[in-house]
Structure formats: C-alpha cells, structure tokens
Amino acid sequence: MKKKTQVDARSKVLEYLAARDHSEKELREKLGRRYTPEEINDALESARNANLLPEPEVLAKQVAGTLARKKKSHRYIQEFLKKKGLPAVERETETEIEKARELILQKFRKGPPFTFEEKPKVHRYLAYRGFDQDTIRRVMHERE
C-alpha cells in the first residue's frame, strides 16, 4: 500500500492553476484548508514571480466573457466576480438586451408582443435571472 506524501503549497498552487486560472482570493481559500498562512504567502509569491497568476482585471474580463456566453445577467456576473475577489467589469446595455431576448425565445418559443397573461411570467423569468427592470421593460415592450 502506497503511503500518501505531503504535497507542498507551491505544488498545490501549480495544480490548481493547471486546471484553470484562479484569483488570489480563491487560491488563499483553497490552500487555507491545509496550509499555514506563511506557506500560502510563499506559494503565491512564487507563482506571482513566475508570472503564473493572471492580472485581476484580465481574469475578470475572461470570467465575465464566459458567463456572458452562458447568457448570465450583468448582476449575476458582478456578484460572481465579487465572490471570487475580482474587480467589476463594465455593463454593456446592448449585450444585456440581446441575452434577455435569447433567453425569452428559448423559454417561451416566441418574442414580443406578449399577452396580458404572459407578461408577468416573462418579467418574473428575467428578474429571477438578475436582469434589471430597464432591460426587462425594453425587451418585453419592443415590437418585432
């Protein structure tokens, strides 16, 4: 039976970064379960010196782009970035409207105009997904 070897914090950082880019906050949280603060600081400093940690702004744009392709709302993206310790990205109004339109077409198989009975359902559907009232109003009341 093989004996488990203790993996040092530097190796663990490399392992995490090989899987995907992580923010410094994420790495600190993951490493904090197993390593001391000194080991964590040393491992992160080593990764930073080797240019393995992406800049927070660059990583935030990458993450926001990925979530936008999944049709997540700007509010959802901002909360996700905040949770990961990344800076906020700018809101693109036209992209938001387009994402909301596509979600409506996927869910309801039709676009505006909506009947009186459909409007609350469409509104609730988009609101639960984090779209703001202005975007919802614009998408619901546009004419085809």
Side-chain angles (χ1 to χ4, degrees), residues 23-130:
S23 68
E24 190 172 321
K25 180 182 177 187
E26 281 182 286
L27 290 172
R28 284 187 185 283
E29 287 174 359
K30 288 182 177 185
L31 294 172
R33 300 178 198 142
R34 197 183 285 180
Y35 302 101
T36 65
E38 297 80 31
E39 290 174 314
I40 294 170
N41 289 336
D42 181 48
L44 290 177
E45 188 61 37
S46 171
R48 215 176 284 113
N49 290 339
N51 290 326
L52 297 176
L53 284 177
E55 290 296 319
E57 294 78 19
V58 173
L59 185 56
K61 285 183 181 177
Q62 288 175 348
V63 171
T66 301
L67 293 173
R69 283 190 297 279
K70 294 179 180 180
K71 297 179 184 54
K72 300 296 183 185
S73 69
H74 183 72
R75 185 181 307 154
Y76 178 93
I77 293 171
Q78 296 304 16
E79 287 298 316
F80 189 88
L81 292 175
K82 187 165 54 169
K83 219 184 298 180
K84 301 293 183 185
L86 294 170
V89 293
E90 267 187 56
R91 179 177 189 266
E92 297 176 16
T93 306
E94 286 307 313
T95 307
E96 278 292 285
I97 291 170
E98 190 57 40
K99 288 188 286 189
R101 262 190 218 122
E102 289 175 16
L103 283 172
I104 288 174
L105 288 173
Q106 280 178 351
K107 175 73 174 175
F108 298 99
R109 305 271 189 253
K110 70 174 260 185
F114 296 104
T115 65
F116 183 75
E117 292 81 23
E118 291 171 328
K119 284 183 181 183
K121 292 177 184 176
V122 172
H123 187 278
R124 190 172 43 249
Y125 178 75
L126 292 175
Y128 284 164
R129 279 151 187 78

